[in-house]
Amino acid sequence: EREARRHTGEELAMASHLLIRVVEGLDDLQLARRCVYNFPQPAERDVAWVIRHAVHEVVHHEMDVRRVRTRLLDEDTWG
């Protein structure tokens, strides 16, 4: 179980690095490309908006991830 938790942290870090690599490789035309974002209801957005929204979600939920990680590490220490 501890090993699975360690892998989860590694996977989050890898996903972050991959997102950065993809975003850095996009040009202005690609960032302006339109798509439909389905939440909370379908709406047309550009790729730049989708990226900003994704980054916002990462920042917004980072504290949740840290809180759970701390709790799990405490369980390893005390449980």
Side-chain angles (χ1 to χ4, degrees):
E1 187 173 308
R2 181 181 176 87
E3 187 72 11
R5 285 182 255 162
R6 185 177 64 78
H7 286 307
T8 300
E10 291 170 358
E11 289 170 356
L12 285 170
M14 183 187 310
S16 298
H17 292 290
L18 290 172
L19 177 61
I20 291 166
R21 289 180 79 184
V22 167
V23 169
E24 287 179 340
L26 298 176
D27 62 28
D28 290 342
L29 188 61
Q30 291 168 316
L31 290 169
R33 187 171 180 169
R34 306 298 286 179
C35 61
V36 175
Y37 191 84
N38 285 316
F39 184 81
Q41 59 190 4
E44 190 173 297
R45 308 285 187 190
D46 62 26
V47 171
W49 182 93
V50 174
I51 293 166
R52 286 190 305 274
H53 183 72
V55 170
H56 166 81
E57 289 298 311
V58 168
V59 171
H60 180 77
H61 292 289
E62 179 184 17
M63 290 304 296
D64 297 332
V65 171
R66 289 181 187 275
R67 189 178 322 111
V68 169
R69 182 177 182 272
T70 299
R71 193 184 94 224
L72 291 173
L73 289 174
D74 285 347
E75 286 177 6
D76 280 347
T77 303
W78 305 108

